[in-house]
């Protein structure tokens, strides 16, 4: 980082653009939108992918229940309107991170196609990469890491995706990983291979409009 | 950026932390919260500071009306509850950017101390830098870049800060710039000097907890 003095700043009335930030970061930015049943391994995979991106020196950030539910989306419930608003805000924040030049990874069940399509519509073509973390319901229920399936079966949680509410599978996801059949390393490699062929991992001048 | 193959990824179940991201970026992250009357020059100054940060190779992003009002905060009005919620969400998003290792600059009137204190409370000590962009009301009204003061005087806009609603001056802002008395270059230099002495512009090992 330059450590020049601040005395001779000359200001030009322009703003820093998304392309400027991507150029500085040395790579393009995008949303990696992980979707799938509770327990499918979305958050684990998103964090593993971020770890690999970080080790390669790329700017990345994970949005998941841990930093959203009790912060930005505090106060939202699980009714239809709040559910839509929950995903809408995540999509809007993801857009801001893309604009900031960051590869942002979101890990939410996001069971409805219409909600995911809304999030997709907020960013430019090629910037929204839907990653379907596929895993049979029986396997998610067998894992039941948070004990939620058991509660849902007992009727203690209403509208639980896969039990008492639908999960709408992506029709044309950019990436599908099968978490019950692939190792986490294989899944990370699949996501990275996609990013590589899509030209996200580098910034080339041809991206300048 | 490394261009190694993806075949030999080895996954360790850890997550990338704020400190990791700051170390990679080569500097600390923080919120620069610009507050002041409409027309005081908050957005102009925030963009000028970002330009300087960007030229020094630092990761930065500006949140202002342009990317928030019609996106994340679409649908919020100007009543008391919505006004609080508007600033709360901006504070929460700013926190996410700090966590992501980015220097985030917010440019909103944010006239109430309680709202700004809430935003301050969301991040760690030293991460919230309140920049009071001070400018006499008469000067803001004389500039009236957006024609809002004229409308407010005619009663066409209710609850307009400085005319029909209060502006609560910061009691202990980290930085004060007087936009009617300082050039934009001087104001940018003042902000950069603060960031330099606060140790934000570099990342040193002593920050590792």
């Amino acid at each position: 980082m330059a450590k020049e003095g601040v005395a001779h700043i000359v200001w030009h009335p322009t703003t820093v653009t998304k392309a400027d930030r991507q150029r500085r970061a040395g790579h393009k930015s995008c949303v990696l939108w992980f979707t799938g049943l509770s327990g499918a391994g979305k958050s684990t995979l998103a964090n593993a992918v971020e770890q690999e991106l970080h080790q390669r020196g790329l700017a990345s950030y994970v949005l998941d229940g841990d930093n959203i539910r009790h912060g930005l989306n505090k106060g939202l419930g699980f009714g239809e309107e709040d559910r839509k608003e929950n995903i809408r805000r995540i999509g809007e924040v993801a857009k801001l991170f893309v604009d900031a030049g960051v590869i942002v990874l979101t890990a939410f069940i996001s069971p409805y196609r219409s909600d995911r399509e809304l999030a997709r519509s907020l960013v430019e073509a090629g910037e929204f990469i839907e990653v379907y973390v596929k895993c049979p319901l029986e396997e998610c229920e067998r894992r039941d890491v948070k004990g939620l399936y058991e509660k849902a079966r007992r009727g203690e949680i209403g509208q639980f995706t896969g039990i008492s509410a639908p999960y709408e599978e992506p029709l044309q996801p950019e990436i599908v990983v099968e978490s019950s059949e692939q190792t986490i390393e294989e899944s990370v490699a699949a996501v990275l291979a996609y990013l590589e062929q899509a030209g996200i991992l580098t910034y080339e001048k041809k991206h300048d409009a």
Side-chain angles (χ1 to χ4, degrees), chain A:
Chain A
M1 204 172 344
K3 281 197 177 190
E4 57 200 78
V6 293
H8 48 79
I9 287 168
V10 178
W11 179 68
H12 303 281
T14 62
T15 54
V16 181
T17 65
K18 176 165 71 177
D20 292 333
R21 298 192 193 92
Q22 293 181 340
R23 199 179 300 111
R24 187 196 57 72
H27 59 88
K28 289 200 78 186
S29 51
C30 65
V31 188
L32 281 164
W33 189 281
F34 295 81
T35 174
L37 294 171
S38 176
K42 299 177 297 298
S43 214
T44 302
L45 180 57
N47 278 287
V49 170
E50 187 190 25
Q51 194 178 306
E52 180 66 22
L53 293 172
H54 181 76
Q55 280 169 8
R56 293 174 179 222
L58 281 71
S60 58
Y61 192 60
V62 173
L63 299 174
D64 63 11
D66 287 346
N67 55 19
I68 290 291
R69 177 54 73 182
H70 301 288
L72 179 66
N73 288 354
K74 191 168 66 178
L76 289 180
F78 293 91
E80 188 183 342
E81 281 311 302
D82 280 10
R83 187 209 77 217
K84 283 176 83 77
E85 176 65 6
N86 179 46
I87 299 297
R88 187 192 73 82
R89 288 189 202 166
I90 292 160
E92 293 284 3
V93 171
K95 176 187 182 161
L96 295 173
F97 274 99
V98 171
D99 197 32
V102 175
I103 297 176
V104 59
L105 307 92
T106 67
F108 299 90
I109 300 173
S110 50
Y112 294 97
R113 278 182 205 125
S114 58
D115 293 340
R116 298 193 302 262
E117 288 311 307
L118 173 71
R120 181 186 289 270
S121 74
L122 298 176
V123 291
E124 289 178 48
E127 289 180 341
F128 190 89
I129 299 164
E130 194 170 4
V131 185
Y132 178 24
V133 184
K134 200 172 176 179
C135 185
L137 177 64
E138 310 76 59
E139 172 62 15
C140 293
E141 197 165 355
R142 193 191 61 71
R143 296 177 187 171
D144 206 8
V145 186
K146 302 175 190 166
L148 296 173
Y149 284 97
E150 205 187 323
K151 286 187 180 171
R153 288 287 183 198
R154 287 203 303 256
E156 293 169 20
I157 305 175
Q159 295 277 85
F160 192 79
T161 301
I163 305 294
S164 45
Y167 177 77
E168 297 178 354
E169 288 199 314
L171 296 178
Q172 292 191 295
E174 276 74 8
I175 305 171
V176 180
V177 300
E178 307 219 26
S179 69
S180 57
E181 302 189 4
Q182 292 173 277
T183 65
I184 186 95
E185 289 85 356
E186 287 168 342
S187 299
V188 171
V191 174
L192 266 289
Y194 182 92
L195 294 176
E196 192 141 28
Q197 63 86 7
I200 303 287
L201 302 181
T202 52
Y203 186 87
E204 290 167 33
K205 283 221 166 59
K206 68 180 161 90
H207 293 306
D208 290 329

